Amino acid sequence: MYKSIKYYVSQHTSRTVLLHKEGCQYLPRPDSRSFIGSCYTPAQALTVSLMQYSNIHYCPHCLSDVTHAKVAPVNPPPLIPLCGAKKPPKKPKEKQLKAVRHFPV
Ligand SMILES: [Zn+2]
């Protein structure tokens, strides 16, 4: 049986947001985090938070067991540097989100 857990997001870098669950030791103070809602799974919390934010990553401390989900890895494997070569800037993928309405049958 699932139990709902409170989820929060906090600003990680200027462009990325971290998704935490209640009780994480790295969860920022209340004035620098946003309550997402009470969800049953981290994936559900991610879906909810994607409606308001983009570039969301799971917190590697409190949600490390779900990093296999569809979110981009927080720390991609380092590339072997070529002489004088620079890594091209990554373009963020635009995600098309549609609100899902559940009508009673
Ligand atoms: Zn956390």
Side-chain angles (χ1 to χ4, degrees), residues 18-21 23-27 58-63:
L18 272 188
L19 179 66
H20 298 270
K21 68 182 177 184
C24 175
Q25 60 175 318
Y26 294 96
L27 189 62
Y58 287 123
C59 171
H61 303 283
C62 60
L63 295 172

Side-chain angles (χ1 to χ4, degrees), residues 69-87:
K70 60 183 177 181
V71 176
V74 175
N75 294 313
L79 297 174
I80 299 169
L82 299 173
C83 185
K86 285 188 178 177
K87 197 174 167 185

Side-chain angles (χ1 to χ4, degrees), residues 10-104:
S10 66
Q11 195 74 33
H12 182 50
T13 66
S14 60
R15 296 187 59 187
T16 59
V17 171
L18 272 188
L19 179 66
H20 298 270
K21 68 182 177 184
E22 183 182 26
C24 175
Q25 60 175 318
Y26 294 96
L27 189 62
R29 291 176 306 176
D31 57 345
S32 47
R33 70 192 187 201
S34 297
F35 179 62
I36 287 298
S38 293
C39 300
Y40 291 100
T41 64
Q44 187 184 24
L46 180 70
T47 303
V48 173
S49 52
L50 277 171
M51 293 178 185
Q52 300 173 54
Y53 304 95
S54 58
N55 283 324
I56 300 171
H57 298 271
Y58 287 123
C59 171
H61 303 283
C62 60
L63 295 172
S64 60
D65 53 334
V66 290
T67 51
H68 63 276
K70 60 183 177 181
V71 176
V74 175
N75 294 313
L79 297 174
I80 299 169
L82 299 173
C83 185
K86 285 188 178 177
K87 197 174 167 185
K90 283 185 181 176
K91 290 183 181 176
K93 289 182 181 176
E94 293 293 326
K95 291 189 176 179
Q96 295 292 327
L97 295 176
K98 291 182 180 177
V100 177
R101 288 175 184 253
H102 299 277
F103 294 103

